[in-house]
mmCIF file of all heavy atoms in Angstrom:
data_model
loop_
_atom_site.group_PDB
_atom_site.id
_atom_site.type_symbol
_atom_site.label_atom_id
_atom_site.label_comp_id
_atom_site.label_asym_id
_atom_site.label_seq_id
_atom_site.Cartn_x
_atom_site.Cartn_y
_atom_site.Cartn_z
ATOM 1 N N ILE L 5 0.921 4.676 -2.533
ATOM 2 C CA ILE L 5 0.784 6.038 -2.026
ATOM 3 C C ILE L 5 1.977 6.881 -2.474
ATOM 4 O O ILE L 5 1.810 8.017 -2.929
ATOM 5 C CB ILE L 5 0.635 6.034 -0.506
ATOM 6 C CG1 ILE L 5 -0.702 5.373 -0.101
ATOM 7 C CG2 ILE L 5 0.707 7.470 0.056
ATOM 8 C CD1 ILE L 5 -0.822 5.073 1.384
ATOM 9 N N ILE L 8 1.589 7.783 -6.077
ATOM 10 C CA ILE L 8 0.587 8.845 -6.247
ATOM 11 C C ILE L 8 1.220 10.206 -5.927
ATOM 12 O O ILE L 8 1.062 11.167 -6.688
ATOM 13 C CB ILE L 8 -0.646 8.596 -5.366
ATOM 14 C CG1 ILE L 8 -1.443 7.389 -5.908
ATOM 15 C CG2 ILE L 8 -1.532 9.831 -5.281
ATOM 16 C CD1 ILE L 8 -2.529 6.884 -4.983
ATOM 17 N N VAL L 9 1.933 10.288 -4.825
ATOM 18 C CA VAL L 9 2.604 11.538 -4.440
ATOM 19 C C VAL L 9 3.591 11.948 -5.528
ATOM 20 O O VAL L 9 3.621 13.123 -5.948
ATOM 21 C CB VAL L 9 3.300 11.406 -3.070
ATOM 22 C CG1 VAL L 9 4.169 12.613 -2.788
ATOM 23 C CG2 VAL L 9 2.286 11.186 -1.978
ATOM 24 N N ASN L 11 3.678 11.142 -8.731
ATOM 25 C CA ASN L 11 2.996 11.516 -9.984
ATOM 26 C C ASN L 11 2.352 12.901 -9.881
ATOM 27 O O ASN L 11 2.348 13.671 -10.833
ATOM 28 C CB ASN L 11 1.934 10.482 -10.345
ATOM 29 C CG ASN L 11 2.547 9.197 -10.845
ATOM 30 O OD1 ASN L 11 3.649 9.188 -11.383
ATOM 31 N ND2 ASN L 11 1.847 8.106 -10.657
ATOM 32 N N ARG L 12 1.815 13.231 -8.739
ATOM 33 C CA ARG L 12 1.134 14.518 -8.559
ATOM 34 C C ARG L 12 2.066 15.694 -8.367
ATOM 35 O O ARG L 12 1.734 16.821 -8.665
ATOM 36 C CB ARG L 12 0.152 14.443 -7.396
ATOM 37 C CG ARG L 12 -1.188 13.909 -7.749
ATOM 38 C CD ARG L 12 -1.870 14.860 -8.672
ATOM 39 N NE ARG L 12 -3.095 14.298 -9.155
ATOM 40 C CZ ARG L 12 -3.910 14.928 -9.976
ATOM 41 N NH1 ARG L 12 -3.588 16.118 -10.452
ATOM 42 N NH2 ARG L 12 -5.016 14.387 -10.390
ATOM 43 N N THR L 13 3.245 15.414 -7.816
ATOM 44 C CA THR L 13 4.141 16.514 -7.459
ATOM 45 C C THR L 13 5.363 16.638 -8.350
ATOM 46 O O THR L 13 6.012 17.666 -8.341
ATOM 47 C CB THR L 13 4.628 16.348 -6.004
ATOM 48 O OG1 THR L 13 5.400 15.127 -5.920
ATOM 49 C CG2 THR L 13 3.479 16.322 -5.023
ATOM 50 N N ILE L 15 7.981 14.947 -7.832
ATOM 51 C CA ILE L 15 9.111 14.534 -7.002
ATOM 52 C C ILE L 15 9.428 13.085 -7.361
ATOM 53 O O ILE L 15 8.524 12.246 -7.390
ATOM 54 C CB ILE L 15 8.758 14.617 -5.503
ATOM 55 C CG1 ILE L 15 8.400 16.056 -5.146
ATOM 56 C CG2 ILE L 15 9.915 14.120 -4.648
ATOM 57 C CD1 ILE L 15 7.730 16.158 -3.761
ATOM 58 N N ASN L 25 8.551 13.874 5.008
ATOM 59 C CA ASN L 25 7.620 14.982 5.281
ATOM 60 C C ASN L 25 7.384 15.722 3.962
ATOM 61 O O ASN L 25 8.277 16.356 3.436
ATOM 62 C CB ASN L 25 8.190 15.914 6.344
ATOM 63 C CG ASN L 25 7.209 16.968 6.770
ATOM 64 O OD1 ASN L 25 6.283 17.340 6.031
ATOM 65 N ND2 ASN L 25 7.379 17.462 7.975
ATOM 66 N N LEU L 26 6.180 15.609 3.462
ATOM 67 C CA LEU L 26 5.853 16.184 2.178
ATOM 68 C C LEU L 26 5.932 17.724 2.188
ATOM 69 O O LEU L 26 6.159 18.342 1.161
ATOM 70 C CB LEU L 26 4.479 15.732 1.735
ATOM 71 C CG LEU L 26 4.332 14.217 1.603
ATOM 72 C CD1 LEU L 26 2.908 13.846 1.223
ATOM 73 C CD2 LEU L 26 5.316 13.674 0.592
ATOM 74 N N LEU L 27 5.795 18.321 3.354
ATOM 75 C CA LEU L 27 5.877 19.766 3.450
ATOM 76 C C LEU L 27 7.291 20.272 3.195
ATOM 77 O O LEU L 27 7.489 21.440 2.847
ATOM 78 C CB LEU L 27 5.380 20.225 4.822
ATOM 79 C CG LEU L 27 3.922 19.881 5.152
ATOM 80 C CD1 LEU L 27 3.558 20.353 6.542
ATOM 81 C CD2 LEU L 27 2.978 20.437 4.090
ATOM 82 N N ASP L 28 8.285 19.402 3.312
ATOM 83 C CA ASP L 28 9.671 19.780 3.020
ATOM 84 C C ASP L 28 9.886 20.022 1.524
ATOM 85 O O ASP L 28 10.903 20.574 1.132
ATOM 86 C CB ASP L 28 10.632 18.708 3.502
ATOM 87 C CG ASP L 28 10.702 18.611 5.003
ATOM 88 O OD1 ASP L 28 10.262 19.577 5.698
ATOM 89 O OD2 ASP L 28 11.196 17.594 5.530
ATOM 90 N N PHE L 29 8.954 19.572 0.686
ATOM 91 C CA PHE L 29 9.092 19.692 -0.769
ATOM 92 C C PHE L 29 8.272 20.829 -1.336
ATOM 93 O O PHE L 29 8.035 20.869 -2.531
ATOM 94 C CB PHE L 29 8.692 18.390 -1.432
ATOM 95 C CG PHE L 29 9.692 17.290 -1.222
ATOM 96 C CD1 PHE L 29 9.485 16.341 -0.229
ATOM 97 C CD2 PHE L 29 10.842 17.215 -1.972
ATOM 98 C CE1 PHE L 29 10.403 15.333 -0.024
ATOM 99 C CE2 PHE L 29 11.761 16.221 -1.775
ATOM 100 C CZ PHE L 29 11.550 15.270 -0.792
ATOM 101 N N ASP L 30 7.822 21.733 -0.506
ATOM 102 C CA ASP L 30 7.102 22.913 -0.997
ATOM 103 C C ASP L 30 5.862 22.527 -1.801
ATOM 104 O O ASP L 30 5.602 23.067 -2.859
ATOM 105 C CB ASP L 30 8.038 23.799 -1.818
ATOM 106 C CG ASP L 30 7.497 25.211 -1.960
ATOM 107 O OD1 ASP L 30 6.780 25.665 -1.040
ATOM 108 O OD2 ASP L 30 7.738 25.844 -3.019
ATOM 109 N N ILE L 31 5.125 21.559 -1.289
ATOM 110 C CA ILE L 31 3.894 21.123 -1.925
ATOM 111 C C ILE L 31 2.794 22.107 -1.510
ATOM 112 O O ILE L 31 2.609 22.387 -0.321
ATOM 113 C CB ILE L 31 3.528 19.690 -1.487
ATOM 114 C CG1 ILE L 31 4.584 18.724 -2.018
ATOM 115 C CG2 ILE L 31 2.144 19.313 -1.946
ATOM 116 C CD1 ILE L 31 4.412 17.321 -1.543
ATOM 117 N N ASP L 32 2.052 22.622 -2.482
ATOM 118 C CA ASP L 32 0.998 23.581 -2.143
ATOM 119 C C ASP L 32 -0.307 22.871 -1.845
ATOM 120 O O ASP L 32 -0.430 21.650 -1.978
ATOM 121 C CB ASP L 32 0.850 24.638 -3.251
ATOM 122 C CG ASP L 32 0.378 24.070 -4.569
ATOM 123 O OD1 ASP L 32 -0.304 23.017 -4.606
ATOM 124 O OD2 ASP L 32 0.665 24.699 -5.594
ATOM 125 N N SER L 33 -1.304 23.638 -1.421
ATOM 126 C CA SER L 33 -2.569 23.057 -0.990
ATOM 127 C C SER L 33 -3.299 22.346 -2.123
ATOM 128 O O SER L 33 -3.975 21.346 -1.903
ATOM 129 C CB SER L 33 -3.472 24.124 -0.374
ATOM 130 O OG SER L 33 -3.691 25.180 -1.296
ATOM 131 N N LEU L 34 -3.157 22.835 -3.343
ATOM 132 C CA LEU L 34 -3.786 22.154 -4.484
ATOM 133 C C LEU L 34 -3.158 20.793 -4.715
ATOM 134 O O LEU L 34 -3.879 19.807 -4.971
ATOM 135 C CB LEU L 34 -3.655 23.012 -5.742
ATOM 136 C CG LEU L 34 -4.314 22.440 -7.009
ATOM 137 C CD1 LEU L 34 -5.805 22.204 -6.779
ATOM 138 C CD2 LEU L 34 -4.085 23.370 -8.172
ATOM 139 N N ASP L 35 -1.860 20.678 -4.552
ATOM 140 C CA ASP L 35 -1.190 19.388 -4.653
ATOM 141 C C ASP L 35 -1.719 18.418 -3.585
ATOM 142 O O ASP L 35 -1.972 17.253 -3.870
ATOM 143 C CB ASP L 35 0.329 19.524 -4.476
ATOM 144 C CG ASP L 35 1.006 20.190 -5.664
ATOM 145 O OD1 ASP L 35 0.522 20.023 -6.797
ATOM 146 O OD2 ASP L 35 2.027 20.855 -5.447
ATOM 147 N N VAL L 36 -1.871 18.899 -2.374
ATOM 148 C CA VAL L 36 -2.390 18.061 -1.284
ATOM 149 C C VAL L 36 -3.790 17.554 -1.614
ATOM 150 O O VAL L 36 -4.076 16.366 -1.456
ATOM 151 C CB VAL L 36 -2.370 18.813 0.071
ATOM 152 C CG1 VAL L 36 -3.076 18.000 1.140
ATOM 153 C CG2 VAL L 36 -0.939 19.149 0.484
ATOM 154 N N ILE L 37 -4.643 18.444 -2.079
ATOM 155 C CA ILE L 37 -6.009 18.042 -2.434
ATOM 156 C C ILE L 37 -5.988 17.011 -3.547
ATOM 157 O O ILE L 37 -6.718 16.004 -3.497
ATOM 158 C CB ILE L 37 -6.855 19.293 -2.850
ATOM 159 C CG1 ILE L 37 -7.017 20.243 -1.672
ATOM 160 C CG2 ILE L 37 -8.211 18.869 -3.412
ATOM 161 C CD1 ILE L 37 -7.691 19.642 -0.450
ATOM 162 N N ASN L 38 -5.158 17.225 -4.547
ATOM 163 C CA ASN L 38 -5.057 16.264 -5.652
ATOM 164 C C ASN L 38 -4.514 14.918 -5.191
ATOM 165 O O ASN L 38 -4.989 13.869 -5.626
ATOM 166 C CB ASN L 38 -4.218 16.826 -6.792
ATOM 167 C CG ASN L 38 -4.941 17.902 -7.543
ATOM 168 O OD1 ASN L 38 -6.150 17.861 -7.706
ATOM 169 N ND2 ASN L 38 -4.196 18.868 -8.066
ATOM 170 N N ILE L 39 -3.541 14.925 -4.309
ATOM 171 C CA ILE L 39 -3.023 13.674 -3.758
ATOM 172 C C ILE L 39 -4.111 12.957 -2.999
ATOM 173 O O ILE L 39 -4.316 11.742 -3.174
ATOM 174 C CB ILE L 39 -1.807 13.958 -2.827
ATOM 175 C CG1 ILE L 39 -0.614 14.418 -3.663
ATOM 176 C CG2 ILE L 39 -1.451 12.722 -2.001
ATOM 177 C CD1 ILE L 39 0.520 15.005 -2.848
ATOM 178 N N VAL L 40 -4.829 13.672 -2.151
ATOM 179 C CA VAL L 40 -5.917 13.062 -1.375
ATOM 180 C C VAL L 40 -6.983 12.477 -2.295
ATOM 181 O O VAL L 40 -7.440 11.348 -2.089
ATOM 182 C CB VAL L 40 -6.528 14.074 -0.374
ATOM 183 C CG1 VAL L 40 -7.819 13.547 0.231
ATOM 184 C CG2 VAL L 40 -5.514 14.413 0.722
ATOM 185 N N MET L 41 -7.356 13.231 -3.324
ATOM 186 C CA MET L 41 -8.387 12.746 -4.246
ATOM 187 C C MET L 41 -7.917 11.463 -4.966
ATOM 188 O O MET L 41 -8.675 10.518 -5.124
ATOM 189 C CB MET L 41 -8.752 13.829 -5.255
ATOM 190 C CG MET L 41 -9.549 14.944 -4.622
ATOM 191 S SD MET L 41 -9.825 16.382 -5.704
ATOM 192 C CE MET L 41 -10.466 15.664 -7.174
ATOM 193 N N ASP L 42 -6.647 11.441 -5.371
ATOM 194 C CA ASP L 42 -6.112 10.249 -6.038
ATOM 195 C C ASP L 42 -6.082 9.058 -5.090
ATOM 196 O O ASP L 42 -6.386 7.928 -5.489
ATOM 197 C CB ASP L 42 -4.708 10.527 -6.581
ATOM 198 C CG ASP L 42 -4.710 11.438 -7.803
ATOM 199 O OD1 ASP L 42 -5.807 11.727 -8.333
ATOM 200 O OD2 ASP L 42 -3.613 11.855 -8.223
ATOM 201 N N VAL L 43 -5.689 9.294 -3.855
ATOM 202 C CA VAL L 43 -5.657 8.209 -2.860
ATOM 203 C C VAL L 43 -7.080 7.702 -2.590
ATOM 204 O O VAL L 43 -7.306 6.482 -2.542
ATOM 205 C CB VAL L 43 -4.977 8.671 -1.550
ATOM 206 C CG1 VAL L 43 -5.195 7.672 -0.416
ATOM 207 C CG2 VAL L 43 -3.488 8.910 -1.780
ATOM 208 N N GLU L 44 -8.006 8.624 -2.416
ATOM 209 C CA GLU L 44 -9.399 8.230 -2.180
ATOM 210 C C GLU L 44 -9.911 7.360 -3.320
ATOM 211 O O GLU L 44 -10.553 6.331 -3.094
ATOM 212 C CB GLU L 44 -10.281 9.469 -2.017
ATOM 213 C CG GLU L 44 -10.086 10.179 -0.703
ATOM 214 C CD GLU L 44 -10.903 11.457 -0.587
ATOM 215 O OE1 GLU L 44 -11.281 12.057 -1.619
ATOM 216 O OE2 GLU L 44 -11.146 11.873 0.570
ATOM 217 N N PHE L 51 -11.486 10.611 3.047
ATOM 218 C CA PHE L 51 -10.862 11.277 4.167
ATOM 219 C C PHE L 51 -11.763 12.416 4.677
ATOM 220 O O PHE L 51 -12.397 13.109 3.886
ATOM 221 C CB PHE L 51 -9.512 11.903 3.755
ATOM 222 C CG PHE L 51 -8.424 10.897 3.525
ATOM 223 C CD1 PHE L 51 -8.224 10.324 2.282
ATOM 224 C CD2 PHE L 51 -7.599 10.546 4.571
ATOM 225 C CE1 PHE L 51 -7.221 9.412 2.089
ATOM 226 C CE2 PHE L 51 -6.576 9.623 4.378
ATOM 227 C CZ PHE L 51 -6.388 9.054 3.130
ATOM 228 N N GLU L 52 -11.788 12.593 5.964
ATOM 229 C CA GLU L 52 -12.489 13.717 6.576
ATOM 230 C C GLU L 52 -11.577 14.933 6.519
ATOM 231 O O GLU L 52 -10.344 14.808 6.474
ATOM 232 C CB GLU L 52 -12.843 13.388 8.035
ATOM 233 C CG GLU L 52 -13.765 12.191 8.198
ATOM 234 C CD GLU L 52 -15.127 12.393 7.562
ATOM 235 O OE1 GLU L 52 -15.621 13.537 7.541
ATOM 236 O OE2 GLU L 52 -15.694 11.406 7.073
ATOM 237 N N ASP L 53 -12.167 16.104 6.547
ATOM 238 C CA ASP L 53 -11.383 17.344 6.472
ATOM 239 C C ASP L 53 -10.349 17.430 7.573
ATOM 240 O O ASP L 53 -9.203 17.840 7.338
ATOM 241 C CB ASP L 53 -12.297 18.574 6.523
ATOM 242 C CG ASP L 53 -13.130 18.720 5.262
ATOM 243 O OD1 ASP L 53 -12.774 18.124 4.206
ATOM 244 O OD2 ASP L 53 -14.127 19.450 5.315
ATOM 245 N N ASP L 54 -10.702 17.027 8.794
ATOM 246 C CA ASP L 54 -9.754 17.125 9.900
ATOM 247 C C ASP L 54 -8.601 16.120 9.735
ATOM 248 O O ASP L 54 -7.508 16.352 10.240
ATOM 249 C CB ASP L 54 -10.450 16.961 11.244
ATOM 250 C CG ASP L 54 -11.147 15.625 11.424
ATOM 251 O OD1 ASP L 54 -11.642 15.054 10.424
ATOM 252 O OD2 ASP L 54 -11.191 15.130 12.578
ATOM 253 N N GLU L 55 -8.832 15.026 9.011
ATOM 254 C CA GLU L 55 -7.744 14.084 8.737
ATOM 255 C C GLU L 55 -6.766 14.657 7.709
ATOM 256 O O GLU L 55 -5.562 14.492 7.830
ATOM 257 C CB GLU L 55 -8.300 12.756 8.233
ATOM 258 C CG GLU L 55 -9.106 12.010 9.268
ATOM 259 C CD GLU L 55 -9.832 10.816 8.704
ATOM 260 O OE1 GLU L 55 -10.278 10.843 7.542
ATOM 261 O OE2 GLU L 55 -9.983 9.831 9.459
ATOM 262 N N ILE L 56 -7.297 15.328 6.716
ATOM 263 C CA ILE L 56 -6.471 15.889 5.656
ATOM 264 C C ILE L 56 -5.479 16.906 6.220
ATOM 265 O O ILE L 56 -4.317 16.937 5.834
ATOM 266 C CB ILE L 56 -7.350 16.531 4.554
ATOM 267 C CG1 ILE L 56 -8.172 15.445 3.851
ATOM 268 C CG2 ILE L 56 -6.494 17.269 3.546
ATOM 269 C CD1 ILE L 56 -9.246 15.990 2.925
ATOM 270 N N VAL L 57 -5.934 17.704 7.152
ATOM 271 C CA VAL L 57 -5.075 18.721 7.762
ATOM 272 C C VAL L 57 -3.872 18.095 8.474
ATOM 273 O O VAL L 57 -2.811 18.705 8.536
ATOM 274 C CB VAL L 57 -5.904 19.589 8.750
ATOM 275 C CG1 VAL L 57 -5.039 20.584 9.491
ATOM 276 C CG2 VAL L 57 -7.022 20.296 8.021
ATOM 277 N N GLU L 58 -4.025 16.879 8.959
ATOM 278 C CA GLU L 58 -2.994 16.226 9.726
ATOM 279 C C GLU L 58 -1.982 15.478 8.862
ATOM 280 O O GLU L 58 -0.971 14.998 9.360
ATOM 281 C CB GLU L 58 -3.610 15.232 10.727
ATOM 282 C CG GLU L 58 -4.541 15.879 11.751
ATOM 283 C CD GLU L 58 -3.800 16.881 12.628
ATOM 284 O OE1 GLU L 58 -2.665 16.610 13.035
ATOM 285 O OE2 GLU L 58 -4.367 17.958 12.873
ATOM 286 N N LEU L 59 -2.222 15.336 7.574
ATOM 287 C CA LEU L 59 -1.346 14.561 6.700
ATOM 288 C C LEU L 59 -0.024 15.253 6.502
ATOM 289 O O LEU L 59 0.025 16.425 6.108
ATOM 290 C CB LEU L 59 -2.020 14.319 5.347
ATOM 291 C CG LEU L 59 -3.332 13.546 5.370
ATOM 292 C CD1 LEU L 59 -3.894 13.454 3.969
ATOM 293 C CD2 LEU L 59 -3.142 12.178 5.979
ATOM 294 N N ARG L 60 1.063 14.529 6.772
ATOM 295 C CA ARG L 60 2.406 15.077 6.576
ATOM 296 C C ARG L 60 3.255 14.122 5.746
ATOM 297 O O ARG L 60 4.117 14.560 4.998
ATOM 298 C CB ARG L 60 3.105 15.314 7.912
ATOM 299 C CG ARG L 60 2.422 16.312 8.815
ATOM 300 C CD ARG L 60 2.587 17.729 8.288
ATOM 301 N NE ARG L 60 1.993 18.713 9.153
ATOM 302 C CZ ARG L 60 0.751 19.169 9.043
ATOM 303 N NH1 ARG L 60 -0.020 18.739 8.082
ATOM 304 N NH2 ARG L 60 0.281 20.076 9.878
ATOM 305 N N THR L 61 3.044 12.815 5.942
ATOM 306 C CA THR L 61 3.896 11.792 5.299
ATOM 307 C C THR L 61 3.031 10.749 4.595
ATOM 308 O O THR L 61 1.850 10.598 4.922
ATOM 309 C CB THR L 61 4.765 11.088 6.353
ATOM 310 O OG1 THR L 61 3.898 10.303 7.200
ATOM 311 C CG2 THR L 61 5.577 12.055 7.183
ATOM 312 N N ASP L 64 1.401 8.653 7.166
ATOM 313 C CA ASP L 64 0.192 9.228 7.754
ATOM 314 C C ASP L 64 -1.029 8.836 6.918
ATOM 315 O O ASP L 64 -2.069 8.490 7.468
ATOM 316 C CB ASP L 64 0.267 10.760 7.817
ATOM 317 C CG ASP L 64 1.294 11.275 8.790
ATOM 318 O OD1 ASP L 64 1.717 10.535 9.683
ATOM 319 O OD2 ASP L 64 1.667 12.451 8.637
ATOM 320 N N ILE L 65 -0.891 8.916 5.604
ATOM 321 C CA ILE L 65 -1.991 8.564 4.708
ATOM 322 C C ILE L 65 -2.340 7.092 4.888
ATOM 323 O O ILE L 65 -3.518 6.735 5.041
ATOM 324 C CB ILE L 65 -1.614 8.862 3.246
ATOM 325 C CG1 ILE L 65 -1.387 10.365 3.032
ATOM 326 C CG2 ILE L 65 -2.680 8.315 2.288
ATOM 327 C CD1 ILE L 65 -0.755 10.733 1.707
ATOM 328 N N ILE L 68 -4.235 6.352 8.235
ATOM 329 C CA ILE L 68 -5.645 6.714 8.226
ATOM 330 C C ILE L 68 -6.469 5.662 7.470
ATOM 331 O O ILE L 68 -7.549 5.282 7.903
ATOM 332 C CB ILE L 68 -5.860 8.127 7.635
ATOM 333 C CG1 ILE L 68 -5.315 9.164 8.604
ATOM 334 C CG2 ILE L 68 -7.349 8.395 7.338
ATOM 335 C CD1 ILE L 68 -5.288 10.578 8.054
#
Side-chain angles (χ1 to χ4, degrees):
I5 294 169
I8 290 169
V9 171
N11 287 333
R12 274 294 174 180
T13 63
I15 300 166
N25 187 335
L26 301 177
L27 300 179
D28 291 344
F29 289 98
D30 198 31
I31 294 174
D32 65 26
S33 58
L34 182 58
D35 289 329
V36 172
I37 295 301
N38 286 327
I39 291 167
V40 169
M41 288 172 51
D42 287 351
V43 168
E44 287 176 337
F51 287 89
E52 298 297 327
D53 290 341
D54 61 327
E55 293 171 327
I56 295 170
V57 175
E58 299 297 319
L59 299 178
R60 298 288 182 267
T61 68
D64 292 340
I65 296 169
I68 290 173

